[in-house]
Amino acid sequence: MNFNFFEKQTSRRDMLRGSVTLAGSAFLAHLFSSTSLGASAASYAQTAPSPADLLANMRAKFNASPVQTQKLADNVTMLSGPGGSVVVLNGPDGKFVVDTFVAPAWPKLKEALDGLGNAPLKYVIDTHWHFDHADNNAPLHAAGATVLAHENTKKRMSEPHDLPALYRGADGALAGLHFDPSPAEALPQETFAASYKLQANGETLALQHFAPAHTDTDIYVHFQKANVIQMGDVFFNGMYPYIDPGTGGTITGNIAACDEILSLAGNSTKIVPGHGPLGNKADLTKFRDMLVTARDRVQKLKSAGKSAQEAVAEKPFADLDPVWGEGIINSDQFVQVVYLVL
């Protein structure tokens, strides 16, 4: 995917304004076919979907992925597919669900949860505020779950967010996105500031807030007995990540968050990313080292006075692309993201 969403040369302030609510991911790249990307500005203007249609298209793209199930421990299951990774602790004390997929995936998520047994839903935990991780809070709450998250997640979900324009160079701008505040029934009913513990089904769930990393709302969930750590979008396994500048994300903070988990994890720890396959300590180490390399290279270009587009032209990640560049974000996009979150 070669859709460069920061392709218009602009200042840091303008870039920040234009990327405030990318919703924590560069998944907008998936919304547009090669036909639409090749259209002229005039033809695009005639066919431009509304922000509501764009968001619906985004959710539909996610929902096209099937739900895949992977057992991580006797009572811990990973569901992956329409919007990243969901982890479920299941047992006689009920189901404890971490992250929730996108809204159209609710029937598939419900079917997967029902397939784990008849225990009632007890808690839903959001790893951060982005819609692809919190979209199904409301139906899960209606089904009996208490929604739990960091206090900043509730704050961000309570606010409107706008993406005024998405530039693709000389052909003009793709229409922006608008995110309304989440309805009251989707907001967390319980929040915490630093850490929180739940004990159920013979397991201890330790929740810990990261300093700003992917966003300022990120937490990890440590299933201590099962030796499983769910990191949300602080970890994209095997692909360049998106780091959200509009809600506090920084690349140095993301590196620090990886270091925090690396100090906690052992060689047999299962590490669940926000996107990508199940990982381990070696995978997270590779991701962390890539972030350090990317930060240092872009910082050198920025300190030399290069603009974001000039930094892109230098192709600083050419040697990284064979491993990291085939995911959600391509190389040019990631250069600009790093430039923005230094």
Side-chain angles (χ1 to χ4, degrees), residues 63-145:
N63 192 43
S65 299
V67 174
Q68 298 178 319
T69 301
Q70 186 173 356
K71 197 164 189 177
L72 305 184
D74 286 343
N75 57 354
V76 179
T77 302
M78 175 179 168
L79 308 174
S80 57
S85 305
V86 170
V87 175
V88 185
L89 171 69
N90 182 52
D93 296 326
K95 297 185 179 94
F96 294 70
V97 182
V98 186
D99 286 346
T100 75
F101 292 150
V102 293
W106 168 239
K108 292 189 284 190
L109 176 58
K110 183 179 186 302
E111 181 180 7
L113 293 173
D114 289 347
L116 296 176
N118 296 324
L121 287 163
K122 286 294 187 180
Y123 270 90
V124 171
I125 301 166
D126 296 330
T127 59
H128 61 295
W129 79 273
H130 289 140
F131 76 98
D132 50 316
H133 296 261
D135 242 3
N136 284 305
N137 282 3
L140 285 161
H141 177 55

Side-chain angles (χ1 to χ4, degrees), residues 84 107 113 119 133-134 183 224 254 256 313 326:
L113 293 173
H133 296 261
Q224 293 181 337
N254 210 135
E326 299 301 320

Side-chain angles (χ1 to χ4, degrees), residues 186-205:
L187 298 177
Q189 289 86 49
E190 294 184 14
T191 63
F192 63 95
S195 61
Y196 198 98
K197 279 194 175 181
L198 292 167
Q199 292 186 324
N201 300 320
E203 179 63 88
T204 298
L205 284 70

Side-chain angles (χ1 to χ4, degrees), residues 5 28 31 46 54 102 109 155 175 179 203 212 278 294 313 322 339:
F5 55 88
L28 289 169
L31 292 177
Q46 295 173 354
L54 284 176
V102 293
L109 176 58
K155 175 180 180 292
F179 295 87
E203 179 63 88
L278 180 67
Y339 191 98

